[in-house]
Amino acid sequence: MSELYAILFTVAFIVLIAGLGRKIVQYHKIPAPLKIPVTPAPITKSGVYFRLAKEVILFSSLFRSNKWTWLFGWMFHMSLFIIIVYHLRYFMSEVPAWIVWLQSVGKYAAFTMLIGLAGLMVRRIAVPRIRHISAPSDYLWLVLLFIIGLSGVMMRFVTHTDIVQLKAWAMGLTVFDWQPLPMDGPLLIHLASVAILMILLPFSKLLHIPGVFFAPTRNQVDNPREARHVSAWALELDAEKNKAQP
Amino acid sequence: MADFDTPKFREYPIVPQIKTGAMDGTSPFVSRPEFDNQLGYPGQLPEDWKEKVLDKMSDLLSRYRSLQVFMDACMKCGACTDKCHYFIGTEDPNNMPVGRQDLLRKVYRRYFTFAGKYFPKLVGAVDLTEEVIDTWYSYYHQCSECRRCAVFCPMGIDTAEITMAAREILAHAGKASKYSNEIITKVFRIGNNLGLPGPALEGILEDLEEEVEEDTGIAVKYNMDVEGCDALLVTPSADFFAEPHIDGLIGYGKVLHEAGITWTVSSKASEAANFGLFIGSYENMQKISMRIREAAIDLKVKRIIFGECGHAWRVAYSFLNTLAGPFDFLDQNYPIPQHILEVTHGLIQEDKIRFNKEENDHMTLTFHDSCNVARGSRMGDHPGGQFDIPRAVIRAACNNYVDMDPSTTHDATFCCGGGGGTLTDDLMELRVKGALPRMEALKAVEQEHGVTNIAAICAICKSQFTKTLPYYGFEMDAIVSVHQLVSNAIVMKGSEQEAELDGTEDSENKDDE
C-alpha cells in the first residue's frame, strides 16, 4: 500500500507538471494578434504587473462583481494557499522558522477553507443562474476539495497521524526511496484525493490557475498608438504584404 | 408598435429570474452567397460542414490566445451572470455571458479536450449538430461585443472574443448575418456603410457649407477628396445623413475651422465604422482599414482624425496601427489616429475655443459612455481619458450636466442595445429589451435632476436610441451628439454669434434672421 501511494504520487506529480507545462507553453506560443486590454488599462509594463497582482491576490474584479462569491472564493483560495505553503515542511529536512510559525497560525485556515467551499457550494445549488451553468464536474470539484480539507482537519484535530513516519515517506518520494506510510484512514483519503486533484488539474477548469496570467484582456499594455503590435501570422497576410506605400 | 412587450421599468434593479428559451430562435436574417463570397465565405452550408466548423475552430484556437485561454479558464463562478444588458432585458440564460460562452465551450470540450472526449456528460460537453449551429447563430447574434462581462470576470474572459470567433466559424458554415456582410460589401464597393456615392456626399457637404455660412456668416469648409489638407477626417457615414449625427459633423467642421486645421473627407474611406470587427474577421477588418491608409496617402494629409463612432474608435485606436500601420508618413507630433474629442478638448485647454454655454441652456444633459470607447479604447494621455474628455467637452459647452448612476457609466456602462452588428430591424425585440438598463438609468436622472437629453459619441448609440427611446416613453430626439452641443455653443471668431455677444455694430440686424 505504501508503494502504491508512492507510485500514485510520483505519477500525479509528473502529470501535474507535464500537463501544466504543456498548457503554459501552448498559451505562451499562441499569438495575441490584436491589442485587446479591457480599458482603462495600464500604459506601462509595471502597471500591468500591478493590475495582475490585484487580480491574483485580491480578486479585485470579482470583488466588484459579487461580494458573496468574492468572500467565499477569496477565503477558500487564500486558505488553500497558506495550507499548501506550510505543507512544504513535509518535503524539507530543515524546516524554516517562518513555516513553523505559518503553520501554528495557518492550521486554522483549514476551517476557513471549508467554510469558503461550503459557501460556494450553497451558491452553486441555491442561485438558479449558477445552477443553470453548472455541470456535474463543477460540483464534484467542490466535493473533492471538501474531502481534502475535511480529512486534513480530522488528522490535525481528531485522529492524529504518525507525522514523523509520514514525513519520512514524503521525503523518500523526492529521491524515489519509498518508505512506509502510516495506515490511517483519514491520511489515505487525504492523499488519494490530493493525487486525484493533481492528475486532473491540467485537464480541467482548474486551468484558470495559469489562464489568469495569460488573458490578453488583462496582461496587455495600453499603448497601441505608440507601439505597433503585429503577430507573426498577420505579417504573412496578403493585405499586409501589398499595402500601399507613400 | 411591435409583436413583443417593451420591458417595464423595474422598481429596484434586482437580477431577473431566468426564463429558459425566452429568446430561442431570435436571429437576424441570414446573409446571401453574393455578399458572403465577396468576403471569402462559402455562402451556404457546405456538405462537410461539421469538418469545416471544427477545422475553423481549431484554426482560430491556434491563432488567438484569447480564445484558447478563455475556452479553458472559466470556472463557472457565476460572477458575469447578471452583467449583460441582453440578459437583464430578456431573462434568457443563454444571454448570460457564461451561458453564451458555453454554447461554444461545450463543443470545444467535446472535440478538443480529454475530459470532453471521454466523459462528455461529466463536464457538460455536447456533440456538434445542426441544432447547435442554429443555437449559435441565434445567441451569438444576441451579443453586442460590448465587453461589460469582461470587466467583471475574475479571469478577464471577454465574451466579445468568443462571439467574434463563433461568428467567423458560422460564416465558414454558410451562416453569416446579412446585416453585417451586406454592409461590408457596400464599404468595399462604394466606400461607406450607407452606400452613399461620392457625388451624393459632395452635395451634402456643399449644403452643409451653405447652412453653416447662413447661420454664422463664416465660410467653413466641408471638403471632400481635396489633396494637401492637414487632416483626413474619417467619420461614420451616418454623420452625412441622419439626425442627430449630422449636427455632430457640423460641429467638427466648426471646431477644425476655428483651430485653423484644414481637413477633408475621402469618398473612398467615407466610413469610420469597421464591421470586420463585428464578424470577427481579421482579414476583412484589415481590408477595411487599408482604405484609410490609402486615402491618407492619396490625399497627402499629415493627420488622421476620427469622428464620433464607438466601435470605429476601438478599431482606430487599438487596431489601426496593427492593421494598416506603420503611419511613419504622417506628422508624428499628433496621436495617430486622433479622436475629434481629443482635438476639441486640447483646444479648450489651450483656451482657443470660445463658448456661449447659454445656447444649450434649454437642455439638461447626461452622457452615455459608448461601450467600445469605454472598454476598448482610450483618449488622451492617461487611462480613463475616454471618460474625462467627453465630459470635459460637454461641461465646457453646457451649463446643465449630471451623470447617471455610476454602476451604469464609465467602464461599467451598459451597451445601448444595438452594438456589435445587432442594429438591424430584424432584431428589434432584442434591441428594445437590451436597452432596458440604460433606459432605467436615464429615467432615474430624468426624475431626480430633470435631465432632458442624453449625449453620445457613437453612431450606433445615436441610431439605436432614436429608435428605442420612444418605446420607453422618451422623445426620440432626446439623443444628441456631443459635437452638436459644441456646434450650438461655439462662438467662432468673426461670426455673427461673436458680434451679437460682444455688441459690435452689425449686431442689430441679427434679430431679423
Side-chain angles (χ1 to χ4, degrees), chain B residues 216 250-251 253-256 258-259 344 347 352-357 359-360 397 483-493 495 497-498 501:
Chain B
T216 65
I250 292 173
K254 290 182 182 174
V255 167
L256 294 170
E258 197 63 1
T344 306
L347 295 167
K352 285 186 178 157
I353 303 187
R354 181 175 173 195
F355 288 116
N356 177 15
K357 292 185 178 192
E359 292 290 340
N360 286 316
H483 272 81
Q484 173 181 358
L485 304 169
V486 170
S487 176
N488 289 347
I490 193 168
V491 182
M492 293 193 288
K493 283 180 218 75
S495 67
Q497 284 76 10
E498 183 184 51
L501 271 179

PDB file of all heavy atoms in Angstrom, chain B residues 216 250-251 253-256 258-259 344 347 352-357 359-360 397 483-493 495 497-498 501:
ATOM      1  N   THR B 216     -23.761  81.404 -39.423  1.00  0.00           N
ATOM      2  CA  THR B 216     -22.683  82.062 -38.672  1.00  0.00           C
ATOM      3  C   THR B 216     -22.030  83.214 -39.419  1.00  0.00           C
ATOM      4  O   THR B 216     -21.277  83.987 -38.837  1.00  0.00           O
ATOM      5  CB  THR B 216     -21.550  81.045 -38.365  1.00  0.00           C
ATOM      6  OG1 THR B 216     -20.970  80.637 -39.604  1.00  0.00           O
ATOM      7  CG2 THR B 216     -22.076  79.847 -37.623  1.00  0.00           C
ATOM      8  N   ILE B 250     -21.385  68.929 -38.340  1.00  0.00           N
ATOM      9  CA  ILE B 250     -21.323  70.399 -38.429  1.00  0.00           C
ATOM     10  C   ILE B 250     -20.375  70.923 -37.349  1.00  0.00           C
ATOM     11  O   ILE B 250     -19.536  71.791 -37.601  1.00  0.00           O
ATOM     12  CB  ILE B 250     -22.741  71.005 -38.276  1.00  0.00           C
ATOM     13  CG1 ILE B 250     -23.595  70.631 -39.496  1.00  0.00           C
ATOM     14  CG2 ILE B 250     -22.675  72.519 -38.106  1.00  0.00           C
ATOM     15  CD1 ILE B 250     -25.055  71.028 -39.373  1.00  0.00           C
ATOM     16  N   GLY B 251     -20.491  70.343 -36.163  1.00  0.00           N
ATOM     17  CA  GLY B 251     -19.630  70.743 -35.053  1.00  0.00           C
ATOM     18  C   GLY B 251     -18.153  70.482 -35.322  1.00  0.00           C
ATOM     19  O   GLY B 251     -17.307  71.329 -35.030  1.00  0.00           O
ATOM     20  N   GLY B 253     -16.658  70.429 -38.119  1.00  0.00           N
ATOM     21  CA  GLY B 253     -16.206  71.410 -39.101  1.00  0.00           C
ATOM     22  C   GLY B 253     -15.917  72.749 -38.453  1.00  0.00           C
ATOM     23  O   GLY B 253     -14.896  73.394 -38.732  1.00  0.00           O
ATOM     24  N   LYS B 254     -16.802  73.166 -37.550  1.00  0.00           N
ATOM     25  CA  LYS B 254     -16.604  74.460 -36.889  1.00  0.00           C
ATOM     26  C   LYS B 254     -15.353  74.445 -36.018  1.00  0.00           C
ATOM     27  O   LYS B 254     -14.568  75.400 -36.010  1.00  0.00           O
ATOM     28  CB  LYS B 254     -17.829  74.808 -36.038  1.00  0.00           C
ATOM     29  CG  LYS B 254     -19.081  75.148 -36.840  1.00  0.00           C
ATOM     30  CD  LYS B 254     -20.220  75.515 -35.875  1.00  0.00           C
ATOM     31  CE  LYS B 254     -21.508  75.818 -36.614  1.00  0.00           C
ATOM     32  NZ  LYS B 254     -22.639  76.031 -35.682  1.00  0.00           N
ATOM     33  N   VAL B 255     -15.169  73.351 -35.269  1.00  0.00           N
ATOM     34  CA  VAL B 255     -14.003  73.259 -34.386  1.00  0.00           C
ATOM     35  C   VAL B 255     -12.717  73.293 -35.199  1.00  0.00           C
ATOM     36  O   VAL B 255     -11.783  74.043 -34.882  1.00  0.00           O
ATOM     37  CB  VAL B 255     -14.064  71.958 -33.547  1.00  0.00           C
ATOM     38  CG1 VAL B 255     -12.731  71.677 -32.877  1.00  0.00           C
ATOM     39  CG2 VAL B 255     -15.167  72.046 -32.503  1.00  0.00           C
ATOM     40  N   LEU B 256     -12.667  72.495 -36.259  1.00  0.00           N
ATOM     41  CA  LEU B 256     -11.438  72.418 -37.052  1.00  0.00           C
ATOM     42  C   LEU B 256     -11.164  73.752 -37.738  1.00  0.00           C
ATOM     43  O   LEU B 256     -10.015  74.198 -37.836  1.00  0.00           O
ATOM     44  CB  LEU B 256     -11.540  71.270 -38.065  1.00  0.00           C
ATOM     45  CG  LEU B 256     -11.589  69.866 -37.422  1.00  0.00           C
ATOM     46  CD1 LEU B 256     -11.941  68.804 -38.452  1.00  0.00           C
ATOM     47  CD2 LEU B 256     -10.271  69.520 -36.744  1.00  0.00           C
ATOM     48  N   GLU B 258     -12.034  76.673 -36.585  1.00  0.00           N
ATOM     49  CA  GLU B 258     -11.601  77.603 -35.549  1.00  0.00           C
ATOM     50  C   GLU B 258     -10.140  77.342 -35.161  1.00  0.00           C
ATOM     51  O   GLU B 258      -9.401  78.265 -34.819  1.00  0.00           O
ATOM     52  CB  GLU B 258     -12.518  77.446 -34.323  1.00  0.00           C
ATOM     53  CG  GLU B 258     -12.484  78.572 -33.331  1.00  0.00           C
ATOM     54  CD  GLU B 258     -12.953  79.911 -33.891  1.00  0.00           C
ATOM     55  OE1 GLU B 258     -13.342  79.985 -35.076  1.00  0.00           O
ATOM     56  OE2 GLU B 258     -12.903  80.898 -33.132  1.00  0.00           O
ATOM     57  N   ALA B 259      -9.743  76.054 -35.236  1.00  0.00           N
ATOM     58  CA  ALA B 259      -8.366  75.696 -34.882  1.00  0.00           C
ATOM     59  C   ALA B 259      -7.404  75.967 -36.028  1.00  0.00           C
ATOM     60  O   ALA B 259      -6.197  75.815 -35.873  1.00  0.00           O
ATOM     61  CB  ALA B 259      -8.308  74.218 -34.507  1.00  0.00           C
ATOM     62  N   THR B 344     -10.801  68.751 -29.891  1.00  0.00           N
ATOM     63  CA  THR B 344     -11.623  69.788 -29.274  1.00  0.00           C
ATOM     64  C   THR B 344     -11.186  70.050 -27.837  1.00  0.00           C
ATOM     65  O   THR B 344     -11.066  71.199 -27.407  1.00  0.00           O
ATOM     66  CB  THR B 344     -13.115  69.372 -29.304  1.00  0.00           C
ATOM     67  OG1 THR B 344     -13.452  69.065 -30.656  1.00  0.00           O
ATOM     68  CG2 THR B 344     -14.013  70.475 -28.787  1.00  0.00           C
ATOM     69  N   LEU B 347      -8.055  72.057 -27.652  1.00  0.00           N
ATOM     70  CA  LEU B 347      -8.299  73.471 -27.949  1.00  0.00           C
ATOM     71  C   LEU B 347      -8.945  74.189 -26.762  1.00  0.00           C
ATOM     72  O   LEU B 347      -8.641  75.340 -26.464  1.00  0.00           O
ATOM     73  CB  LEU B 347      -9.195  73.611 -29.183  1.00  0.00           C
ATOM     74  CG  LEU B 347      -8.568  73.106 -30.486  1.00  0.00           C
ATOM     75  CD1 LEU B 347      -9.618  72.980 -31.573  1.00  0.00           C
ATOM     76  CD2 LEU B 347      -7.451  74.047 -30.943  1.00  0.00           C
ATOM     77  N   LYS B 352      -8.492  78.087 -26.854  1.00  0.00           N
ATOM     78  CA  LYS B 352      -8.571  78.534 -28.244  1.00  0.00           C
ATOM     79  C   LYS B 352      -9.998  78.484 -28.792  1.00  0.00           C
ATOM     80  O   LYS B 352     -10.231  78.837 -29.938  1.00  0.00           O
ATOM     81  CB  LYS B 352      -7.653  77.689 -29.125  1.00  0.00           C
ATOM     82  CG  LYS B 352      -6.182  78.049 -28.943  1.00  0.00           C
ATOM     83  CD  LYS B 352      -5.318  77.306 -29.927  1.00  0.00           C
ATOM     84  CE  LYS B 352      -3.859  77.717 -29.764  1.00  0.00           C
ATOM     85  NZ  LYS B 352      -2.953  76.684 -30.288  1.00  0.00           N
ATOM     86  N   ILE B 353     -10.923  77.991 -27.991  1.00  0.00           N
ATOM     87  CA  ILE B 353     -12.320  77.985 -28.441  1.00  0.00           C
ATOM     88  C   ILE B 353     -13.140  78.765 -27.423  1.00  0.00           C
ATOM     89  O   ILE B 353     -12.952  78.624 -26.215  1.00  0.00           O
ATOM     90  CB  ILE B 353     -12.913  76.566 -28.500  1.00  0.00           C
ATOM     91  CG1 ILE B 353     -12.101  75.667 -29.402  1.00  0.00           C
ATOM     92  CG2 ILE B 353     -14.337  76.620 -29.035  1.00  0.00           C
ATOM     93  CD1 ILE B 353     -12.760  74.315 -29.613  1.00  0.00           C
ATOM     94  N   ARG B 354     -14.048  79.557 -27.953  1.00  0.00           N
ATOM     95  CA  ARG B 354     -14.927  80.305 -27.063  1.00  0.00           C
ATOM     96  C   ARG B 354     -16.323  79.708 -27.155  1.00  0.00           C
ATOM     97  O   ARG B 354     -16.798  79.367 -28.236  1.00  0.00           O
ATOM     98  CB  ARG B 354     -14.947  81.754 -27.531  1.00  0.00           C
ATOM     99  CG  ARG B 354     -15.806  82.651 -26.680  1.00  0.00           C
ATOM    100  CD  ARG B 354     -15.678  84.088 -27.144  1.00  0.00           C
ATOM    101  NE  ARG B 354     -16.626  84.923 -26.449  1.00  0.00           N
ATOM    102  CZ  ARG B 354     -16.943  86.140 -26.852  1.00  0.00           C
ATOM    103  NH1 ARG B 354     -16.386  86.665 -27.943  1.00  0.00           N
ATOM    104  NH2 ARG B 354     -17.826  86.852 -26.170  1.00  0.00           N
ATOM    105  N   PHE B 355     -16.964  79.566 -25.997  1.00  0.00           N
ATOM    106  CA  PHE B 355     -18.328  79.028 -25.986  1.00  0.00           C
ATOM    107  C   PHE B 355     -19.296  80.022 -25.377  1.00  0.00           C
ATOM    108  O   PHE B 355     -18.946  80.778 -24.479  1.00  0.00           O
ATOM    109  CB  PHE B 355     -18.399  77.741 -25.154  1.00  0.00           C
ATOM    110  CG  PHE B 355     -17.744  76.557 -25.803  1.00  0.00           C
ATOM    111  CD1 PHE B 355     -16.631  75.960 -25.226  1.00  0.00           C
ATOM    112  CD2 PHE B 355     -18.249  76.030 -26.979  1.00  0.00           C
ATOM    113  CE1 PHE B 355     -16.026  74.854 -25.812  1.00  0.00           C
ATOM    114  CE2 PHE B 355     -17.657  74.928 -27.579  1.00  0.00           C
ATOM    115  CZ  PHE B 355     -16.545  74.345 -26.991  1.00  0.00           C
ATOM    116  N   ASN B 356     -20.511  79.991 -25.887  1.00  0.00           N
ATOM    117  CA  ASN B 356     -21.622  80.657 -25.221  1.00  0.00           C
ATOM    118  C   ASN B 356     -22.546  79.553 -24.714  1.00  0.00           C
ATOM    119  O   ASN B 356     -23.434  79.077 -25.421  1.00  0.00           O
ATOM    120  CB  ASN B 356     -22.345  81.570 -26.212  1.00  0.00           C
ATOM    121  CG  ASN B 356     -23.562  82.218 -25.574  1.00  0.00           C
ATOM    122  OD1 ASN B 356     -23.704  82.216 -24.346  1.00  0.00           O
ATOM    123  ND2 ASN B 356     -24.444  82.759 -26.401  1.00  0.00           N
ATOM    124  N   LYS B 357     -22.288  79.145 -23.471  1.00  0.00           N
ATOM    125  CA  LYS B 357     -22.982  77.976 -22.921  1.00  0.00           C
ATOM    126  C   LYS B 357     -24.496  78.133 -22.907  1.00  0.00           C
ATOM    127  O   LYS B 357     -25.232  77.143 -22.883  1.00  0.00           O
ATOM    128  CB  LYS B 357     -22.514  77.730 -21.488  1.00  0.00           C
ATOM    129  CG  LYS B 357     -21.079  77.274 -21.354  1.00  0.00           C
ATOM    130  CD  LYS B 357     -20.850  76.960 -19.892  1.00  0.00           C
ATOM    131  CE  LYS B 357     -19.463  76.450 -19.619  1.00  0.00           C
ATOM    132  NZ  LYS B 357     -19.381  75.885 -18.263  1.00  0.00           N
ATOM    133  N   GLU B 359     -26.442  78.851 -25.075  1.00  0.00           N
ATOM    134  CA  GLU B 359     -27.097  78.257 -26.242  1.00  0.00           C
ATOM    135  C   GLU B 359     -27.616  76.845 -25.951  1.00  0.00           C
ATOM    136  O   GLU B 359     -28.477  76.343 -26.660  1.00  0.00           O
ATOM    137  CB  GLU B 359     -26.118  78.207 -27.423  1.00  0.00           C
ATOM    138  CG  GLU B 359     -25.736  79.565 -27.984  1.00  0.00           C
ATOM    139  CD  GLU B 359     -26.900  80.254 -28.712  1.00  0.00           C
ATOM    140  OE1 GLU B 359     -27.859  79.540 -29.100  1.00  0.00           O
ATOM    141  OE2 GLU B 359     -26.843  81.490 -28.875  1.00  0.00           O
ATOM    142  N   ASN B 360     -27.048  76.207 -24.933  1.00  0.00           N
ATOM    143  CA  ASN B 360     -27.511  74.857 -24.582  1.00  0.00           C
ATOM    144  C   ASN B 360     -28.345  74.837 -23.297  1.00  0.00           C
ATOM    145  O   ASN B 360     -28.607  73.765 -22.748  1.00  0.00           O
ATOM    146  CB  ASN B 360     -26.303  73.913 -24.440  1.00  0.00           C
ATOM    147  CG  ASN B 360     -25.708  73.546 -25.779  1.00  0.00           C
ATOM    148  OD1 ASN B 360     -26.437  73.243 -26.731  1.00  0.00           O
ATOM    149  ND2 ASN B 360     -24.382  73.599 -25.874  1.00  0.00           N
ATOM    150  N   ALA B 397     -19.257  73.211 -22.886  1.00  0.00           N
ATOM    151  CA  ALA B 397     -20.245  73.755 -23.822  1.00  0.00           C
ATOM    152  C   ALA B 397     -21.640  73.887 -23.230  1.00  0.00           C
ATOM    153  O   ALA B 397     -22.526  74.474 -23.849  1.00  0.00           O
ATOM    154  CB  ALA B 397     -20.298  72.878 -25.071  1.00  0.00           C
ATOM    155  N   HIS B 483     -20.697  66.719 -30.334  1.00  0.00           N
ATOM    156  CA  HIS B 483     -20.285  67.881 -31.129  1.00  0.00           C
ATOM    157  C   HIS B 483     -21.456  68.718 -31.640  1.00  0.00           C
ATOM    158  O   HIS B 483     -21.253  69.805 -32.156  1.00  0.00           O
ATOM    159  CB  HIS B 483     -19.342  67.466 -32.262  1.00  0.00           C
ATOM    160  CG  HIS B 483     -17.913  67.453 -31.797  1.00  0.00           C
ATOM    161  ND1 HIS B 483     -17.382  66.408 -31.101  1.00  0.00           N
ATOM    162  CD2 HIS B 483     -16.933  68.405 -31.866  1.00  0.00           C
ATOM    163  CE1 HIS B 483     -16.127  66.693 -30.778  1.00  0.00           C
ATOM    164  NE2 HIS B 483     -15.828  67.894 -31.225  1.00  0.00           N
ATOM    165  N   GLN B 484     -22.655  68.198 -31.446  1.00  0.00           N
ATOM    166  CA  GLN B 484     -23.837  69.034 -31.680  1.00  0.00           C
ATOM    167  C   GLN B 484     -23.908  70.107 -30.591  1.00  0.00           C
ATOM    168  O   GLN B 484     -24.211  71.270 -30.864  1.00  0.00           O
ATOM    169  CB  GLN B 484     -25.075  68.127 -31.650  1.00  0.00           C
ATOM    170  CG  GLN B 484     -26.404  68.830 -31.720  1.00  0.00           C
ATOM    171  CD  GLN B 484     -27.547  67.819 -31.664  1.00  0.00           C
ATOM    172  OE1 GLN B 484     -27.320  66.601 -31.609  1.00  0.00           O
ATOM    173  NE2 GLN B 484     -28.781  68.310 -31.672  1.00  0.00           N
ATOM    174  N   LEU B 485     -23.593  69.705 -29.367  1.00  0.00           N
ATOM    175  CA  LEU B 485     -23.576  70.672 -28.259  1.00  0.00           C
ATOM    176  C   LEU B 485     -22.465  71.695 -28.472  1.00  0.00           C
ATOM    177  O   LEU B 485     -22.631  72.891 -28.223  1.00  0.00           O
ATOM    178  CB  LEU B 485     -23.356  69.935 -26.930  1.00  0.00           C
ATOM    179  CG  LEU B 485     -24.364  68.822 -26.633  1.00  0.00           C
ATOM    180  CD1 LEU B 485     -23.914  67.991 -25.441  1.00  0.00           C
ATOM    181  CD2 LEU B 485     -25.741  69.422 -26.385  1.00  0.00           C
ATOM    182  N   VAL B 486     -21.321  71.181 -28.956  1.00  0.00           N
ATOM    183  CA  VAL B 486     -20.203  72.073 -29.271  1.00  0.00           C
ATOM    184  C   VAL B 486     -20.624  73.054 -30.364  1.00  0.00           C
ATOM    185  O   VAL B 486     -20.395  74.263 -30.267  1.00  0.00           O
ATOM    186  CB  VAL B 486     -18.974  71.245 -29.725  1.00  0.00           C
ATOM    187  CG1 VAL B 486     -17.882  72.144 -30.281  1.00  0.00           C
ATOM    188  CG2 VAL B 486     -18.445  70.399 -28.571  1.00  0.00           C
ATOM    189  N   SER B 487     -21.288  72.511 -31.384  1.00  0.00           N
ATOM    190  CA  SER B 487     -21.730  73.334 -32.515  1.00  0.00           C
ATOM    191  C   SER B 487     -22.712  74.421 -32.068  1.00  0.00           C
ATOM    192  O   SER B 487     -22.637  75.568 -32.517  1.00  0.00           O
ATOM    193  CB  SER B 487     -22.384  72.424 -33.557  1.00  0.00           C
ATOM    194  OG  SER B 487     -22.912  73.185 -34.614  1.00  0.00           O
ATOM    195  N   ASN B 488     -23.608  74.056 -31.170  1.00  0.00           N
ATOM    196  CA  ASN B 488     -24.586  75.040 -30.675  1.00  0.00           C
ATOM    197  C   ASN B 488     -23.903  76.201 -29.968  1.00  0.00           C
ATOM    198  O   ASN B 488     -24.326  77.348 -30.081  1.00  0.00           O
ATOM    199  CB  ASN B 488     -25.532  74.394 -29.642  1.00  0.00           C
ATOM    200  CG  ASN B 488     -26.491  73.409 -30.279  1.00  0.00           C
ATOM    201  OD1 ASN B 488     -26.622  73.367 -31.493  1.00  0.00           O
ATOM    202  ND2 ASN B 488     -27.147  72.611 -29.448  1.00  0.00           N
ATOM    203  N   ALA B 489     -22.867  75.879 -29.182  1.00  0.00           N
ATOM    204  CA  ALA B 489     -22.333  76.876 -28.248  1.00  0.00           C
ATOM    205  C   ALA B 489     -21.087  77.595 -28.744  1.00  0.00           C
ATOM    206  O   ALA B 489     -20.707  78.635 -28.201  1.00  0.00           O
ATOM    207  CB  ALA B 489     -22.033  76.202 -26.905  1.00  0.00           C
ATOM    208  N   ILE B 490     -20.447  77.041 -29.761  1.00  0.00           N
ATOM    209  CA  ILE B 490     -19.169  77.624 -30.181  1.00  0.00           C
ATOM    210  C   ILE B 490     -19.384  79.041 -30.731  1.00  0.00           C
ATOM    211  O   ILE B 490     -20.362  79.320 -31.432  1.00  0.00           O
ATOM    212  CB  ILE B 490     -18.467  76.723 -31.225  1.00  0.00           C
ATOM    213  CG1 ILE B 490     -17.008  77.161 -31.428  1.00  0.00           C
ATOM    214  CG2 ILE B 490     -19.213  76.724 -32.550  1.00  0.00           C
ATOM    215  CD1 ILE B 490     -16.190  76.134 -32.214  1.00  0.00           C
ATOM    216  N   VAL B 491     -18.486  79.925 -30.358  1.00  0.00           N
ATOM    217  CA  VAL B 491     -18.530  81.304 -30.853  1.00  0.00           C
ATOM    218  C   VAL B 491     -17.272  81.499 -31.689  1.00  0.00           C
ATOM    219  O   VAL B 491     -16.187  81.738 -31.169  1.00  0.00           O
ATOM    220  CB  VAL B 491     -18.563  82.312 -29.689  1.00  0.00           C
ATOM    221  CG1 VAL B 491     -18.662  83.737 -30.231  1.00  0.00           C
ATOM    222  CG2 VAL B 491     -19.728  82.012 -28.757  1.00  0.00           C
ATOM    223  N   MET B 492     -17.430  81.346 -33.004  1.00  0.00           N
ATOM    224  CA  MET B 492     -16.249  81.428 -33.874  1.00  0.00           C
ATOM    225  C   MET B 492     -15.836  82.882 -34.054  1.00  0.00           C
ATOM    226  O   MET B 492     -16.676  83.792 -34.052  1.00  0.00           O
ATOM    227  CB  MET B 492     -16.550  80.781 -35.225  1.00  0.00           C
ATOM    228  CG  MET B 492     -16.768  79.278 -35.107  1.00  0.00           C
ATOM    229  SD  MET B 492     -16.751  78.466 -36.719  1.00  0.00           S
ATOM    230  CE  MET B 492     -18.295  79.033 -37.353  1.00  0.00           C
ATOM    231  N   LYS B 493     -14.535  83.060 -34.238  1.00  0.00           N
ATOM    232  CA  LYS B 493     -14.023  84.414 -34.428  1.00  0.00           C
ATOM    233  C   LYS B 493     -14.588  85.011 -35.710  1.00  0.00           C
ATOM    234  O   LYS B 493     -14.548  84.379 -36.762  1.00  0.00           O
ATOM    235  CB  LYS B 493     -12.496  84.393 -34.510  1.00  0.00           C
ATOM    236  CG  LYS B 493     -11.840  84.235 -33.152  1.00  0.00           C
ATOM    237  CD  LYS B 493     -10.316  84.234 -33.305  1.00  0.00           C
ATOM    238  CE  LYS B 493      -9.658  83.250 -32.349  1.00  0.00           C
ATOM    239  NZ  LYS B 493      -9.769  81.846 -32.676  1.00  0.00           N
ATOM    240  N   SER B 495     -17.687  85.587 -36.296  1.00  0.00           N
ATOM    241  CA  SER B 495     -19.025  85.091 -36.623  1.00  0.00           C
ATOM    242  C   SER B 495     -20.087  86.072 -36.160  1.00  0.00           C
ATOM    243  O   SER B 495     -19.826  86.985 -35.362  1.00  0.00           O
ATOM    244  CB  SER B 495     -19.252  83.744 -35.947  1.00  0.00           C
ATOM    245  OG  SER B 495     -19.294  83.915 -34.541  1.00  0.00           O
ATOM    246  N   GLN B 497     -22.405  85.267 -34.249  1.00  0.00           N
ATOM    247  CA  GLN B 497     -22.603  84.999 -32.822  1.00  0.00           C
ATOM    248  C   GLN B 497     -21.642  85.837 -31.984  1.00  0.00           C
ATOM    249  O   GLN B 497     -22.024  86.363 -30.931  1.00  0.00           O
ATOM    250  CB  GLN B 497     -22.367  83.514 -32.525  1.00  0.00           C
ATOM    251  CG  GLN B 497     -23.488  82.588 -32.937  1.00  0.00           C
ATOM    252  CD  GLN B 497     -23.527  82.344 -34.448  1.00  0.00           C
ATOM    253  OE1 GLN B 497     -22.614  82.717 -35.192  1.00  0.00           O
ATOM    254  NE2 GLN B 497     -24.617  81.747 -34.894  1.00  0.00           N
ATOM    255  N   GLU B 498     -20.409  85.987 -32.462  1.00  0.00           N
ATOM    256  CA  GLU B 498     -19.437  86.786 -31.722  1.00  0.00           C
ATOM    257  C   GLU B 498     -19.881  88.244 -31.690  1.00  0.00           C
ATOM    258  O   GLU B 498     -19.861  88.900 -30.642  1.00  0.00           O
ATOM    259  CB  GLU B 498     -18.053  86.675 -32.371  1.00  0.00           C
ATOM    260  CG  GLU B 498     -16.976  87.437 -31.607  1.00  0.00           C
ATOM    261  CD  GLU B 498     -15.616  87.397 -32.312  1.00  0.00           C
ATOM    262  OE1 GLU B 498     -15.574  87.713 -33.521  1.00  0.00           O
ATOM    263  OE2 GLU B 498     -14.629  87.045 -31.655  1.00  0.00           O
ATOM    264  N   LEU B 501     -22.709  88.710 -29.234  1.00  0.00           N
ATOM    265  CA  LEU B 501     -22.280  88.658 -27.841  1.00  0.00           C
ATOM    266  C   LEU B 501     -21.507  89.905 -27.428  1.00  0.00           C
ATOM    267  O   LEU B 501     -21.698  90.448 -26.337  1.00  0.00           O
ATOM    268  CB  LEU B 501     -21.366  87.454 -27.624  1.00  0.00           C
ATOM    269  CG  LEU B 501     -22.014  86.144 -27.241  1.00  0.00           C
ATOM    270  CD1 LEU B 501     -20.940  85.080 -27.106  1.00  0.00           C
ATOM    271  CD2 LEU B 501     -22.804  86.266 -25.955  1.00  0.00           C
TER     272      LEU B 501
END
